[in-house]
Amino acid sequence: MTTTNIILAGYLAGASDYIPIAKKLEEKNLTAIVVPLKWWDWVPTLGGRSIAPILEKLDQTVNQELAKTGASKVNIIAHSAGGWLSRIYLGDRPYYDKVWDARSKVAKLVCLGTPQRSLEPWSLPNLGFVNDNYPDAFYDDIEYICVAGNAVQGKKSTPKKWLAYSSYELTIGQGDVWGDGIIPIEAAYLDGAKNMAIDGVYHSPRSGKWYGSQEVVDIWAKYL
């Protein structure tokens, strides 16, 4: 029985940017669907508030797919903040008075350019919860694959490199490192996961080659 790949958008992104990834996976005979989010579904989560509204959408999609296919598990492919959000979804401890405990439903978690840790104040309530309760590749029975982009070294010399420098510094406290232009490589990794950095990969589809580009999908899809 084929394991469905559930694709979860990144922060303030909707499903439309990720439908091409699902199509690329389908061309590889991998079943894939995108959690049906609109960008405004993220609005209630702004400022470090609960991301439970997004978890609800993810849970609905996972449950519907399991019921439809009769499979016991899915894979989750999550971009950016969707990666650490999914780590909450797997967990068995109360998050804003609800326990998601989806560990038994998930075989693999693929994180694409996910800030697994950050110093940004708005992210601390949720990321702090994740890393305090489910540090690193927490569950032995789930395969964690973390993909980073190695496209830009942060510098103060050009606008693009300045943006990268500022974003990296906000994330890990150091700006002159390499990453995908938004997330530094070291912040995208989890101890115990299959970690990889792919050259020339940017964080966003609007930057050119990114995690959803064909040649990049060809690399990480081998682990599904």
Side-chain angles (χ1 to χ4, degrees):
M1 185 175 292
T2 302
T3 301
T4 299
N5 297 284
I6 308 290
I7 303 171
L8 179 62
Y11 194 62
L12 291 178
S16 59
D17 285 335
Y18 301 86
I19 290 173
I21 298 179
K23 291 180 178 177
K24 290 179 177 70
L25 294 176
E26 292 281 0
E27 290 168 0
K28 297 177 179 293
N29 295 316
L30 297 167
T31 304
I33 60 172
V34 183
V35 177
L37 289 171
K38 303 294 185 182
W39 72 264
W40 53 83
D41 289 324
W42 293 89
V43 171
T45 75
L46 293 175
R49 292 193 288 271
S50 168
I51 47 80
I54 308 301
L55 292 173
E56 291 281 5
K57 293 273 191 178
L58 174 60
D59 192 49
Q60 289 169 10
T61 305
V62 169
N63 290 336
Q64 287 169 4
E65 194 60 23
L66 291 176
K68 182 174 76 173
T69 64
S72 60
K73 294 189 177 187
V74 301
N75 298 326
I76 296 177
I77 301 167
H79 178 229
S80 196
W84 59 256
L85 186 154
S86 297
R87 291 165 61 202
I88 295 177
Y89 179 61
L90 299 175
D92 60 359
R93 296 168 194 177
Y95 174 77
Y96 285 89
D97 299 323
K98 181 159 184 176
V99 178
W100 300 93
D101 200 15
R103 172 187 179 185
S104 63
K105 304 175 186 178
V106 178
K108 299 180 181 182
L109 171 59
V110 180
C111 297
L112 306 174
T114 292
Q116 306 289 7
R117 59 188 178 90
S118 177
L119 300 175
E120 290 183 281
W122 70 267
S123 70
L124 293 179
N126 288 311
L127 265 177
F129 176 87
V130 174
N131 290 319
D132 287 345
N133 289 281
Y134 316 112
D136 305 319
F138 188 73
Y139 291 114
D140 292 339
D141 53 345
I142 293 175
E143 186 176 353
Y144 296 76
I145 299 103
C146 296
V147 185
N150 185 23
V152 185
Q153 183 181 21
K155 294 183 178 179
K156 298 181 179 180
S157 55
T158 67
K160 180 180 285 189
K161 292 182 178 180
W162 176 274
L163 173 62
Y165 184 97
S166 299
S167 183
Y168 300 164
E169 188 174 44
L170 280 172
T171 305
I172 62 170
Q174 183 178 354
D176 59 347
V177 295
W178 284 87
D180 64 13
I182 300 296
I183 306 303
I185 292 171
E186 66 177 84
Y189 287 173
L190 290 172
D191 287 347
K194 171 64 179 177
N195 296 310
M196 71 186 80
I198 305 175
D199 288 343
V201 171
Y202 288 87
H203 192 76
S204 165
R206 284 162 286 281
S207 298
K209 180 180 174 182
W210 80 297
Y211 298 99
S213 297
Q214 184 67 64
E215 62 268 40
V216 184
V217 174
D218 288 344
I219 294 171
W220 57 255
K222 295 175 184 177
Y223 297 92
L224 297 175

